[in-house]
Amino acid sequence: MSLNKIEAARGWRIRSTQDLAAGLFMIALAGLALFLSRDLATGTLRQIGPGMLPKAFAWICAGLGALLAFNSLRYNGEKLSGWSWRGVFFVLGAAVVFGLTIRGFEIGPLKVPQLGMLVSGPLVVIISGLAAEDMRLKELVIFAVAMTAGCALLFKYALGLPIPLAPWLLGI
């Protein structure tokens, strides 16, 4: 009996639990995006509405997730294993710190002034960089300064967005 017939005789079974879980997660994420964008008008191709892009991306994400889940039944792959909570904690924490420090906030007696992009930018890069186990602080600081400068040039000056750079120092 040939190897192909043996594989065919086994039938459909999960050969890559990691791909199956990733595909199902993408489908669930697409479902959430479609649910949250249900009230946005899609429009037409001549006059695109605000819901066209999120809904299109959601359908693309769902299709790719379904393809990934289907391929988990056809091809051997990795088994599902635990993930590093360190990465989740530092990357999400960096996003929260950025959101709280870019414009400032006040919660009861705790008050953080508006720090702007020149402080919030390097903070988010350095905090999220702590998620990597092989992180080198010198390289991370250089990358943080370069990314902050690039973001300031792009968002503030090229696109003209009203993002504060350093209101505590420069007033801009």
Side-chain angles (χ1 to χ4, degrees), residues 4 8 19 37-38 62 81 108 118 128 143:
N4 290 339
D19 288 347
S37 65
R38 70 190 181 284
S81 61
L118 293 183
S128 62
F143 181 66

Side-chain angles (χ1 to χ4, degrees), residues 34-54:
L34 287 170
F35 175 74
L36 293 175
S37 65
R38 70 190 181 284
D39 294 335
L40 298 175
T42 305
T44 64
L45 289 178
R46 288 186 183 261
Q47 189 171 0
I48 295 175
M52 178 76 76
L53 189 65

Side-chain angles (χ1 to χ4, degrees), residues 122 125-126 135-148:
V125 174
I126 290 170
M135 177 270 312
R136 295 188 191 130
L137 189 60
K138 182 180 176 182
E139 293 175 359
L140 192 60
V141 169
I142 293 170
F143 181 66
V145 170
M147 284 300 294
T148 301

